[in-house]
Amino acid sequence: MLACGAADFVLVDAREPLAKAGLSLIHAQACYEGKYWNTTGIARHVTVEALLPEMRRRGITVLSHGATGRGNDQVRFQLVANMLAPDIEVYAPWRDETFLAAFRGRGQMIDFCEKRGLPIKASRSKPYSTDANLLGLTHEAGVLESLQTSPDVIEPGMGVHAKDAPAAGEEMEIRFENGAPVSINGARVSVLQALEKANTLGGKHGVSIAFHLVENRFVGIKSRGVYESPGMEVLGSAYAYLLQLVLDRRAREIFDELSRYIARQVYQGYGFDLGSRMAGAAIAETAALVSGTVTVRLQRGAVSFVSAKNVPHSLYSEDTASMEAVGTYDHADSEGLLRVLSVSARALAAAGQVKPRLLE
Amino acid sequence: MLACGAADFVLVDAREPLAKAGLSLIHAQACYEGKYWNTTGIARHVTVEALLPEMRRRGITVLSHGATGRGNDQVRFQLVANMLAPDIEVYAPWRDETFLAAFRGRGQMIDFCEKRGLPIKASRSKPYSTDANLLGLTHEAGVLESLQTSPDVIEPGMGVHAKDAPAAGEEMEIRFENGAPVSINGARVSVLQALEKANTLGGKHGVSIAFHLVENRFVGIKSRGVYESPGMEVLGSAYAYLLQLVLDRRAREIFDELSRYIARQVYQGYGFDLGSRMAGAAIAETAALVSGTVTVRLQRGAVSFVSAKNVPHSLYSEDTASMEAVGTYDHADSEGLLRVLSVSARALAAAGQVKPRLLE
Amino acid sequence: MLACGAADFVLVDAREPLAKAGLSLIHAQACYEGKYWNTTGIARHVTVEALLPEMRRRGITVLSHGATGRGNDQVRFQLVANMLAPDIEVYAPWRDETFLAAFRGRGQMIDFCEKRGLPIKASRSKPYSTDANLLGLTHEAGVLESLQTSPDVIEPGMGVHAKDAPAAGEEMEIRFENGAPVSINGARVSVLQALEKANTLGGKHGVSIAFHLVENRFVGIKSRGVYESPGMEVLGSAYAYLLQLVLDRRAREIFDELSRYIARQVYQGYGFDLGSRMAGAAIAETAALVSGTVTVRLQRGAVSFVSAKNVPHSLYSEDTASMEAVGTYDHADSEGLLRVLSVSARALAAAGQVKPRLLE
Amino acid sequence: MLACGAADFVLVDAREPLAKAGLSLIHAQACYEGKYWNTTGIARHVTVEALLPEMRRRGITVLSHGATGRGNDQVRFQLVANMLAPDIEVYAPWRDETFLAAFRGRGQMIDFCEKRGLPIKASRSKPYSTDANLLGLTHEAGVLESLQTSPDVIEPGMGVHAKDAPAAGEEMEIRFENGAPVSINGARVSVLQALEKANTLGGKHGVSIAFHLVENRFVGIKSRGVYESPGMEVLGSAYAYLLQLVLDRRAREIFDELSRYIARQVYQGYGFDLGSRMAGAAIAETAALVSGTVTVRLQRGAVSFVSAKNVPHSLYSEDTASMEAVGTYDHADSEGLLRVLSVSARALAAAGQVKPRLLE
């Protein structure tokens, strides 16, 4: 920025809060439209929150960003800034008529920069654009816009394609305490270190590298993204294996609901509003119960379960699950349960409510 | 059965309706607790529905099954039979005191059979039990009850472990019309053939073989299952890629809700009640829109997107997705949108509703 | 319109489709934010749909409306028109800079009309504005904007305030067949006639007259509405009493979900999209089961249950509900049920998941 | 109890925790199947929780209750006791074969008591049974089982029927702070006092007296209840009016979801499990924002809004709601918003996803 003529430049290190925000998404298993770990969405929240104190300190009243007028990021920057600092003005050159009159597209922009010798990285030949942060990469636009282009064209930034990963694979033991990863393969880690380690190992084994998704943007149009988020996927999957042990059916039902809600909220830039706080408070009740050691295998893009132990809040009992040992209730009790269920099932039939065909 | 002394035996071929029922699950993307394709759950529905006409024909009034008193299947058999045929009695030896007095477990049962020379397949040394049908396999109990046992111990019945699959992988082109798979790699297929083909190819590449899940049973206890469902996973994933193109944000929201609902309903044996019919009617509206050709790559357990074409109801446009082409609305319009959103975001701040912290 | 100088004028009678659309809302019990019967929201859909054929016939390509730039109606007109007729242009003077430059508010508009002798009804002294159709009235703005103004200030358009209704009240017997009201007090009625009759009787007894709601508009700001919808409330309540007899617990769960979804969709102008069609298809499964005769009492604003009969799909049995007669399952069966439930409840305790405090 | 021969008797005063539990339901607006304030459901939780310390003190290890084998209460007592005190045995005579052999119904029970001179209140002539606590009354069974019996037959225990209430009605001003009622008509009150006062005033004006509901019991059968809960309805409605001012659209969406979830949980006896704690934690975020003074009118059974003031977290602004004052965004901005929305609406049309018919 200084080389481009900025009067001053400050680098704010937000890796720690970003890692913690990533962990919040893992707690909520908050993937947008089922798949995308919201790595860019959450980063917009953290970025604005992290910049504000520095802006206040310097009396800066305008937050400027380079997001264009068709994407999600303009919405996220605007909403987060407006909520956290309603007095701050948000300025986006790509929505400013004066600016737009001068630059009709990326091409002319690059021309301008090159002519003035501004040290930009983008080039006309770059076949797609990439947004990067600690949690993941988002590739989109350019050649990726065609659904005839396979995600194979991506040059991975956080690891290798699954097909190029070592055949052998590798096991990884992660210990969580009250929802936080505290050790990996026996070594103590901070949340940030856990994410970095998971990024390294996940990336090496092609986990969540070049993941395809056609998604619904906030503004109502569809876009295609190809994502990388190895660390989020590794930690998120390991966490999910512990969640399976802890959540009973009723908690699972509301958890899944809140999970999708939070994913939408963060994706759309509403991660700081009341609804997100409500959902977050609910999820925090579950995170507090997730302690345990889980071993996963990373191999050719997959994160699979190997084993789990020391899970104090687990509802899974190797004894009660047995089909042989009838433990604390016996077959006659099941008979009673079924007789009770049977009354309502037969009532449905008697009321003409049952039609003998499958789902549709 | 005849060898065991049955007076008569009838084999009812329910593969066709079972394949169609599997397709219904794919339409709803109905995986229980996020992961399990409900292959056993739906099969119980189809089995009872398929047996009833034959039972009626022969004047049989008792449906007997071998499910034990702690699992889901006793519930499913009971509910489906009670709904479809409230006059039919359901008899389960494993919940009958007389029977239980004679056989205190699998061991004594096997003794009994062996002594009488009954041709059973089970053996005392089989380390876990398996339920199998066209849609998938469920392995559970025995050594699998320990969370220290990796799913690697499974001897796959529908293919190979991902780690043993050919490195090269293989592409597979599937054409759907109004929700139904109609051709694979250019050859016309029925729904049943599509599933069989997908089972073969998916199994060969280790797709959804030995998939671990600790789940909440209907009766409230947790159990661990290791699943195989290569064909469902292959077709289900390919279908999901098309759904991404077709469902707008609002439809996606209710779709995801219904998807989880149907998964619970089928898992618990309520696939024929009013609630399931409601959800099924809603899902059918979406299946009618899912036409298109999608190519996926099967490789080392993964089903990944390669390309898609000829999707008439697609909302994805390679043009409007472009960040360069501003098409039908311009940046000034986005400015207007954001000013509108900004009012409510600032109102939240003014009302003291925003707290600058992440999700929890 | 002719008196104002319009070249031509056509009156399209949309009362029949509007009444049917109202019935759809009753089927879904689709009240926005819990209370408002969406009477204006649904009318915008019906209005546009009803006008289009006439516009096509005359080659008209612009749909103009008088909704302002801060309300919901501009959104509804736009979305419905764009969906049903994407080629039609929607023009709103209140969002046209040229028009706005000439008229800075309602006041100047009224001046203009009076000066030219245009026969308008609005007057500067009218203390609030009203939108009216067959399904209901929406009063808002003006003196109603102050939360110190009680809904008592409303001069009812569809009946009387509850406090002014006759003390005696009146019973009303309504027969529904497959979801549609077919007779009232023994006389056959069409859907439109049923609604008109219910408006008359409900209005007479102060039902849903001057109903207060502060709601969230589509554009994100809150507004206060005072509503009248006597017929919708009378028929909707009577229908609800039958629904209570028909929906089992599982159907109720998804019904309530869909109900709120449809209410949001219609309120926001998305009543014709895929999501609404999905929800509508699900609700239709329930409407088909709602047949029966219900008697309600209208008295001083209330619609209360008196009796119900001839409900073929009812799940309510006067016998099984009895606490004395234990009918089809006995107390020992309940003991079995409870033993089964007890296992999971105790497992929660054993896993340290229970904290002895109430909800919060 | 002493008169019946009990060795000892202890009265545990749980009115305070019961009132607070009632307030939790108000915070969640947790009415079961849309209508019933869960007054008996929550009381079972509070009762068991309140009794346990006394039982521990005296070394009592068996909790006995008189709920029958077809209702909800047996389930609630069992689950709450098992969760809070898994070591305590729950004994229900009405599910004990020995006891049942001696008493085949209420009749024989009453005979037995009368013969021994036990001072019971029930009589053979009582036409229905009633369960009562501070939060409300539940009337059911007997003559109420017939849907031909109007709720008019109820002899109210907490007030008068709406038709018998004074015509004049009465205004009531309630101040909430952080979710708790702190003053009524200017006088400071505790939560318990607020509920008692609301019971008195609500009852006097016929609010929520003899409220009819046919509901789905936990065991799957339908039952009819006629309820009284004047205080819950008065406070709950007043609270709802403030909630309308505080919850934005997104918070409302998840609030409504959680509201129904909590209602089901408490109804079914799961008010202490993880899912309830999750939902409660989310709701607590909203309760903390509900401060304000609201005036309601109680008249002939209705609780209607009169006015509201001093609501610090209100999102409602009398200025921005104005249709005249265009405040912080102008009509051109709306034009921008609509152009953006228009793109997706037209895309739906272009993709053949729109069908011009109403909901079903």
Side-chain angles (χ1 to χ4, degrees), chain C residues 6 14 41 60 69 93 120 135 140 147 158 184 198 217 259-260 282 299:
Chain C
I60 296 171
I120 56 166
L135 305 180
E140 58 182 10
L147 293 180
M158 300 182 81
I184 292 184
R217 282 191 186 160
S259 174
R260 296 193 304 110
Q299 190 169 23

Side-chain angles (χ1 to χ4, degrees), chain C residues 1 5 47 89 94 122 146 161 174 177 198 213 220 238 280 285 337 341 358-359:
Chain C
M1 298 305 291
T47 299
E89 189 192 336
W94 286 116
S146 167
H161 282 287
I174 308 168
E177 277 173 21
L213 178 67
E285 294 284 331
L337 163 71
L341 293 177
L358 277 163
L359 297 171

Side-chain angles (χ1 to χ4, degrees), chain C residues 21-283:
Chain C
L23 182 59
S24 292
L25 295 183
I26 285 171
H27 288 171
Q29 298 280 302
C31 299
Y32 184 64
E33 299 200 340
K35 309 282 187 165
Y36 161 51
W37 273 105
N38 257 318
T39 54
T40 296
I42 195 73
R44 300 323 191 192
H45 291 75
V46 175
T47 299
V48 173
E49 189 179 11
L51 291 180
L52 282 172
E54 194 63 32
M55 290 176 66
R56 298 289 192 205
R57 202 167 298 128
R58 290 158 181 265
I60 296 171
T61 59
V62 179
L63 176 71
S64 178
H65 65 79
T68 63
R70 298 184 70 85
N72 294 306
D73 287 330
Q74 58 169 347
V75 178
R76 295 162 180 158
F77 281 128
Q78 187 84 33
L79 291 172
V80 175
N82 285 169
M83 286 190 208
L84 294 183
D87 55 312
I88 294 279
E89 189 192 336
V90 179
Y91 171 69
W94 286 116
R95 293 199 316 264
D96 179 334
E97 291 297 347
T98 319
F99 182 90
L100 286 168
F103 302 101
R104 303 202 59 79
R106 269 169 70 93
Q108 282 152 306
M109 185 65 149
I110 294 171
D111 280 347
F112 178 91
C113 293
E114 287 177 347
K115 199 171 291 174
R116 272 159 191 75
L118 302 184
I120 56 166
K121 251 197 276 184
S123 81
R124 246 173 306 265
S125 60
K126 178 84 164 19
Y128 53 82
S129 83
T130 297
D131 176 78
N133 67 58
L134 176 67
L135 305 180
L137 303 189
T138 299
H139 310 290
E140 58 182 10
V143 299
L144 294 177
E145 284 178 12
S146 167
L147 293 180
Q148 293 304 309
T149 307
S150 143
D152 286 353
V153 304
I154 295 294
E155 199 168 318
M158 300 182 81
V160 299
H161 282 287
K163 65 182 167 56
D164 302 327
E170 172 171 7
E171 291 194 359
M172 183 178 174
E173 187 199 77
I174 308 168
R175 166 116 199 113
F176 287 89
E177 277 173 21
N178 302 122
V182 295
S183 77
I184 292 184
N185 294 335
R188 297 293 295 183
V189 287
S190 68
V191 173
L192 175 55
Q193 289 166 333
L195 188 62
E196 288 171 335
K197 184 73 179 168
N199 271 335
T200 303
L201 291 180
K204 174 182 167 193
H205 291 287
V207 174
S208 202
I209 298 291
F211 182 84
H212 156 95
L213 178 67
V214 175
E215 74 202 35
N216 290 297
R217 282 191 186 160
F218 182 87
V219 290
I221 56 178
K222 285 200 174 279
S223 72
R224 184 210 196 170
V226 177
Y227 296 101
E228 301 183 38
S229 50
M232 290 294 285
E233 182 69 17
V234 167
L235 294 180
S237 299
Y239 189 88
Y241 289 127
L242 291 177
L243 265 185
Q244 288 178 10
L245 300 173
V246 168
L247 298 184
D248 71 311
R249 194 171 62 195
R250 289 165 170 271
R252 168 65 70 181
E253 187 184 327
I254 195 73
F255 181 94
D256 286 349
E257 190 72 36
L258 293 164
S259 174
R260 296 193 304 110
Y261 179 81
I262 290 178
R264 288 199 301 268
Q265 291 278 101
V266 170
Y267 185 87
Q268 298 182 359
Y270 286 91
F272 288 136
D273 73 2
L274 175 58
S276 291
R277 206 158 62 249
M278 292 168 70
I283 294 296

Side-chain angles (χ1 to χ4, degrees), chain A residues 178-201:
Chain A
N178 302 121
V182 295
S183 76
I184 292 184
N185 293 335
R188 297 295 293 183
V189 285
S190 68
V191 172
L192 175 55
Q193 289 167 333
L195 188 61
E196 288 172 335
K197 183 74 178 169
N199 271 336
T200 304
L201 291 180

Side-chain angles (χ1 to χ4, degrees), chain A residues 49 69 82 86 106 145 148 218 222 244 247 249 257 260 277 300 308 316 324 334 342 346 353 356, chain B residues 49 69 82 86 106 145 148 218 222 244 247 249 257 260 277 308 316 324 334 342 346 353 356:
Chain A
E49 190 180 11
N82 284 170
R106 269 169 71 93
E145 284 178 12
Q148 293 304 309
F218 182 88
K222 285 198 175 282
Q244 287 178 10
L247 298 184
R249 194 172 63 197
E257 190 71 36
R260 296 193 304 110
R277 206 158 60 248
R300 297 280 198 171
Y316 179 76
E324 295 262 342
S334 294
S342 181
R346 285 189 162 113
Q353 294 206 7
Chain B
E49 190 180 11
N82 285 169
R106 270 168 71 93
E145 284 178 12
Q148 294 304 309
F218 182 87
K222 287 199 175 279
Q244 288 178 9
L247 298 184
R249 194 172 61 196
E257 189 71 37
R260 295 193 305 111
R277 206 158 63 249
Y316 180 76
E324 295 260 341
S334 293
S342 181
R346 285 188 163 114
Q353 294 204 7

Side-chain angles (χ1 to χ4, degrees), chain A residues 49 145 207 235 290:
Chain A
E49 190 180 11
E145 284 178 12
V207 174
L235 294 181
V290 178

